[in-house]
Amino acid sequence: MQPITLYSHPLGPNPWKVAIILSSLGIPYETVFVDFKDVKNPPFIDLNPNGRLPAIIDPNKDIQLWESGAIIIYLIETYDVARDLSYDSFPERFLTHQWLHFQTSGQGPYYGQLGWFTRQTTNQPVAIERYTNEVRRVTGVLDRALSGRQWLVGDKCTFADLAFVPWQDMLCLIMGGKHDEEAFASEFPNVHGWMERMKQRPEVKRVLQEKENAMSMMGNP
Ligand SMILES: N[C@@H](CCC(=O)N[C@@H](CS)C(=O)NCC(=O)O)C(=O)O
């Protein structure tokens, strides 16, 4: 199999969701980092007209794709033939899709907005308050869903669980160092335990370490 090319950025969590899925499925891939200043211009917009990361090129199937959720579904449907990270059964198959949609529409954009407003040099208290509340609300939704269970769907870790890792793991940075990890862990113990379980998976560990390394090569965000 030829390696898939993953267009990524050291800081942006969305491409790292795809890296975790690629890595967890044992799919060979190579990463190309694209500077944020180049994503809205050719040649990158010829690959992703929306000018955002991630995007992939899979030479094995002659396809290029963008939008992390669509890429994850493509990888799962094409390469998870053993159903290691997914289900064929009803209703589990649809429930994993439900959680992935919630991740891409409910977690990513809100956490991303909080990160963006936190990094602004002019103080934006209304925006910071709104998105901080959303981060807590989304984490609360996950915490309730995980009550009495290990994984979001069924009895195994799926792509739906793994897709939440990079954004949830970046809360310290997103909140500009104001994130109290211990208080958050005791307020949302189910999410804390779930994140720890996922971060112990060797592939997740390896990808998060790769991200850490790429971020330190890039310097402080
Ligand atoms: N809905 C998109 C969001 C992608 C996205 O916002 N990517 C960020 C990095 S995590 C990005 O490319 N930001 C650069 C920019 O918007 O200029 C997806 O899930 O793929």
Side-chain angles (χ1 to χ4, degrees):
M1 178 176 183
Q2 295 178 70
I4 289 178
T5 304
L6 169 63
Y7 294 85
S8 182
H9 188 279
L11 186 60
N14 288 310
W16 296 99
K17 296 183 321 202
V18 174
I20 287 175
I21 301 299
L22 284 163
S23 192
S24 301
L25 291 175
I27 300 171
Y29 69 100
E30 50 199 28
T31 305
V32 174
F33 290 119
V34 185
D35 202 301
F36 281 155
K37 72 175 167 33
D38 298 326
V39 294
K40 299 285 189 291
N41 305 311
F44 188 71
I45 54 164
D46 298 331
L47 180 56
N48 179 357
N50 191 35
R52 291 197 159 191
L53 298 155
I56 61 159
I57 297 178
D58 181 353
N60 306 287
K61 303 280 178 189
D62 195 18
I63 185 171
Q64 53 187 54
L65 272 178
W66 47 279
E67 277 297 321
S68 59
I71 295 171
I72 289 173
I73 292 298
Y74 165 73
L75 293 174
I76 290 292
E77 293 198 357
T78 310
Y79 295 110
D80 189 19
V81 283
R83 297 285 168 230
D84 289 330
L85 295 182
S86 58
Y87 292 101
D88 264 340
S89 52
F90 179 92
E92 290 80 6
R93 176 161 178 245
F94 296 99
L95 295 177
T96 52
H97 285 235
Q98 164 198 279
W99 284 109
L100 181 64
H101 277 277
F102 176 58
Q103 190 288 313
T104 57
S105 67
Q107 188 205 36
Y110 289 95
Y111 287 38
Q113 290 299 312
L114 178 57
W116 193 84
F117 281 110
T118 299
R119 285 199 306 277
Q120 299 313 298
T121 43
T122 51
N123 199 12
Q124 310 276 353
V126 176
I128 301 263
E129 188 188 348
R130 165 157 171 74
Y131 292 115
T132 301
N133 288 343
E134 276 302 303
V135 166
R136 304 183 73 77
R137 196 188 66 75
V138 167
T139 305
V141 170
L142 292 166
D143 205 68
R144 273 191 304 284
L146 288 162
S147 169
R149 53 188 309 134
Q150 303 265 299
W151 308 109
L152 288 173
V153 183
D155 56 4
K156 70 182 180 197
C157 179
T158 68
F159 68 88
D161 299 285
L162 294 171
F164 284 92
V165 169
W167 280 107
Q168 204 67 32
D169 191 49
M170 274 190 88
L171 281 180
C172 276
L173 197 63
I174 289 167
M175 292 189 169
K178 291 195 191 101
H179 177 52
D180 182 338
E181 264 183 89
E182 261 181 47
F184 216 74
S186 57
E187 190 175 348
F188 304 108
N190 303 319
V191 167
H192 177 71
W194 173 65
M195 282 294 291
E196 290 303 304
R197 279 193 292 286
M198 291 193 282
K199 285 165 69 175
Q200 275 161 24
R201 293 170 71 91
E203 303 82 12
V204 174
K205 230 184 219 176
R206 193 170 61 237
V207 170
L208 292 181
Q209 187 57 55
E210 232 180 85
K211 182 177 194 304
E212 195 70 32
N213 297 347
M215 279 174 65
S216 37
M217 296 272 289
M218 188 185 85
N220 279 337

